[in-house]
Amino acid sequence: MVRKRPYVCGIDAALDVVGGKWKVLILWALSTGTKRFGEVKRELPGVSVKVLTEQLRELEADEIVTRHEYDETVPRVEYSLTEFGRSLNEALGPLGAWGARHRARIESLRANA
Amino acid sequence: MVRKRPYVCGIDAALDVVGGKWKVLILWALSTGTKRFGEVKRELPGVSVKVLTEQLRELEADEIVTRHEYDETVPRVEYSLTEFGRSLNEALGPLGAWGARHRARIESLRANA
DNA sequence: CCGGATCCCGTCCGATACTG
DNA sequence: CAGTATCGGACGGGATCCGG
C-alpha cells in the first residue's frame, strides 16, 4: 500500500489508505465500537492472524484506528476508530449502500463468468 | 478480482467490482464522457497497455463500461460508462471528496514512514 | 490471548515485442 | 491505433511455528 506515483485524484488517495483486502471490513467491524483483537478477527471469516495484524498496524499508522494495550496478566488489546477513521467510514457509506443494493447483480455476473 | 468467499457487507461487494489497481481511475477518467483507448491511457500515468486492457474488459464484464469498436481503416475503440457505472461513480463521490480533502495529510504520513 | 518470525505460493502487474 | 502474446519480478497474503 505504499504509493510510488503521485495521486491522480481524491479517490486514488483514499484507496491508498483503504485498499488492503480487509481494511474496509475492519472499518466496518469497528464502526460499532471498540473491539478486542479476537473479536475483530471473528467478524472477518478467513483472515489470518498475520494479515489482520499487518492491516491493523497500517491503519494505525494512517491514524485511522487507535490501539490500546492493557498491561494485565491476561493479554488484551483493543482497537477503535479515531475521529479521522470515523470520517472515512462515513465517506464509505454510499459505496456500501451501492454494493448492498446491487449485490445480487454482481454475484450473478460472477456466476456466469 | 474473483471472490471466493461470500460478501460480508455492501462495501465488500463494491470493492470486488472496483478493487483493481486502476479501476477507480478508469471510472474517474470516463466520468467526463466517452473516451478512446489512447485517451484513457494518457490520463493514467504508468499503466501498461496489457493491464489497462484487462481492467477495461473486467469492467465491461461487470457492465460498468461499454466498449464500442468502429470498423474503419484507422482502428478506433471508444469506452463510456453505463448507467450502472454512473451510479457506481456517484457512490464513489464522497470517498473521492474525503481523499481530496485529506490528501496532504495522507501524503505526509507516507513520507514519514 | 495477542501477536512476531519465517517460509512459501499465487496473482497482479509492468516491459517488451509483435500484429491487423 | 488498439490491442495480443509472453516473460519475469514484485508483492500480497496464507500456513505454521514460536514467544511474552
Side-chain angles (χ1 to χ4, degrees):
Chain A
M1 287 302 118
V2 171
R3 184 60 47 121
K4 270 140 281 187
R5 56 184 163 85
Y7 296 131
V8 175
C9 67
I11 302 183
D12 199 11
L15 275 198
D16 194 27
V17 171
V18 82
K21 186 174 177 184
W22 302 93
K23 287 189 182 174
V24 293
L25 297 181
I26 294 174
L27 271 270
W28 186 70
L30 290 181
S31 68
T32 53
T34 300
K35 287 201 172 65
R36 299 186 56 171
F37 181 87
E39 292 180 284
V40 176
K41 177 163 167 47
R42 238 168 287 129
E43 295 196 23
L44 307 189
V47 70
S48 69
V49 202
K50 172 200 156 192
V51 173
L52 180 55
T53 303
E54 282 174 358
Q55 308 240 327
L56 279 168
R57 291 290 149 84
E58 290 183 20
L59 288 173
E60 193 190 0
D62 282 339
E63 301 176 351
I64 300 297
V65 307
T66 50
R67 179 176 182 277
H68 244 55
E69 185 166 349
Y70 294 84
D71 201 5
E72 309 173 347
T73 57
V74 177
R76 178 174 155 205
V77 178
E78 288 187 347
Y79 294 90
S80 51
L81 292 180
T82 62
E83 193 57 44
F84 194 36
R86 275 191 290 276
S87 74
L88 173 57
N89 218 10
E90 283 173 25
L92 282 168
L95 186 62
W98 184 92
R101 199 172 335 131
H102 300 294
R103 175 192 181 132
R105 176 172 183 172
I106 298 170
E107 281 172 345
S108 92
L109 286 171
R110 290 289 188 276
N112 297 340
Chain B
M1 283 306 119
V2 171
R3 184 60 47 121
K4 271 138 279 189
R5 57 183 162 87
Y7 299 133
V8 174
C9 65
I11 302 185
D12 199 9
L15 276 198
D16 194 25
V17 171
V18 83
K21 186 174 179 184
W22 302 94
K23 288 190 182 174
V24 292
L25 297 181
I26 294 174
L27 271 269
W28 186 72
L30 290 182
S31 67
T32 54
T34 299
K35 287 201 172 66
R36 299 184 58 168
F37 182 86
E39 293 181 283
V40 176
K41 176 162 166 49
R42 238 169 286 129
E43 295 195 22
L44 307 189
V47 71
S48 68
V49 204
K50 174 197 152 194
V51 174
L52 179 56
T53 302
E54 283 174 357
Q55 308 239 329
L56 279 168
R57 293 290 150 84
E58 289 182 21
L59 288 173
E60 193 190 358
D62 282 340
E63 300 177 354
I64 299 297
V65 307
T66 51
R67 178 177 184 275
H68 246 55
E69 184 166 350
Y70 294 85
D71 201 5
E72 307 174 350
T73 58
V74 177
R76 177 172 156 207
V77 178
E78 289 186 346
Y79 293 91
S80 51
L81 293 180
T82 62
E83 193 57 44
F84 194 37
R86 276 191 289 277
S87 74
L88 172 56
N89 217 13
E90 282 173 26
L92 281 168
L95 187 61
W98 184 91
R101 199 173 334 131
H102 300 294
R103 174 191 182 133
R105 176 173 183 172
I106 298 169
E107 282 172 344
S108 93
L109 287 170
R110 289 290 188 277
N112 299 339

